[in-house]
Amino acid sequence: MATGTEPFAVGHRVTYLPGRHKSGTRLCRRGVVTGAPVFDAYTNNTWVPVHAEGQASDQEPEWVRASDIVDVA
């Protein structure tokens, strides 16, 4: 986890597990946090907006479950 009071702050580089592929495997991806995390009481998950490496700069960030983030730098 990152140091400080905010575990996911804008600019932090993260490694995360995206959704499952058709084969059932999950490969790690890397990206940069682009905004503040949001807690969704309906799903009981905290979602973090992440701009994935290799993604065009004009694309919207992916919303990643905080529990799927495996490393923060």
Side-chain angles (χ1 to χ4, degrees):
M1 230 11 140
T3 59
T5 58
E6 272 296 317
F8 305 110
V10 173
H12 279 164
R13 299 190 64 73
V14 295
T15 303
Y16 61 98
L17 297 167
R20 293 194 186 277
H21 294 280
K22 289 181 182 179
S23 66
T25 61
R26 295 175 76 182
L27 303 174
C28 287
R29 291 186 76 183
R30 291 188 177 149
V32 176
V33 175
T34 61
V38 175
F39 178 74
D40 178 16
Y42 183 74
T43 63
N44 199 32
N45 284 303
T46 298
W47 296 89
V48 182
V50 176
H51 189 267
E53 281 184 356
Q55 186 178 23
S57 61
D58 62 344
Q59 285 187 312
E60 292 289 320
E62 297 179 54
W63 285 93
V64 178
R65 284 184 185 92
S67 60
D68 287 341
I69 295 176
V70 296
D71 188 41
V72 181

